[in-house]
Amino acid sequence: MALASASDAYDYLPGLASGEDAKVNKVIARVESAIAAYLGFRPAAAAGDVTLDSTSYTLYSRDGWLHVSAENGRKLILPYAPCTSVTTLHDDSLWAYGASTLVASSDYTLEGDLGHIWLDPDASHAWTSAARNIKAVVVCGWSTAPDSLLEAICRHTARTWEAWKTAGSLNIVAGPSSKTLRLPKFDVDVLELLGPYRQPAFWLS
């Protein structure tokens, strides 16, 4: 489900009526996926799409995914933010991830806006650093877009729509014919709006 809707985009598309909802929503879906990829999100599943939406991810400790901070060994850095919840968290050198290696929720604190999981000072656990020892099932992304992210989505949707009117390469049925729409590059103003949302995955990898 997209963060933006056709009704959000119409303010940026003067002259369009509500009858264009299906086509505008199709463009929004492609734009949001392109933005998610630019920000550093990856598909949550092998055959899934890249999305900005609040999504469950299964992550393992290794370069580019889940990282124990070298500066502070109590901090576990997720590749994505915001993180709204931790479903389960295991630390298991045998990679079985059973009940005996479950890290108790009372042992850590989620700093969700930054994508950090901190072991509490009185925690009975210490992170291990070997690859794949830590398995985290977490929910990351947005259920409601922040204003500046929504603005970026709508601006790029409008420019993508205009590009479709002149040529392109994304299949959209338009009356008796079908045109294809190439997603244009992000303009500077959109990149500036997206800047604060670049993901930790960029510097973890």
Side-chain angles (χ1 to χ4, degrees), residues 151-173:
E151 177 77 11
I153 294 167
C154 290
R155 288 189 189 186
H156 199 60
T157 295
R159 290 162 191 170
T160 302
W161 183 270
E162 291 302 315
W164 164 67
K165 288 170 60 178
T166 56
S169 43
L170 161 84
N171 288 327
I172 294 185
V173 175

Side-chain angles (χ1 to χ4, degrees), residues 96-110:
Y97 313 117
S100 63
T101 60
L102 183 69
V103 181
S105 59
S106 58
D107 273 353
Y108 60 82
T109 296
L110 174 64

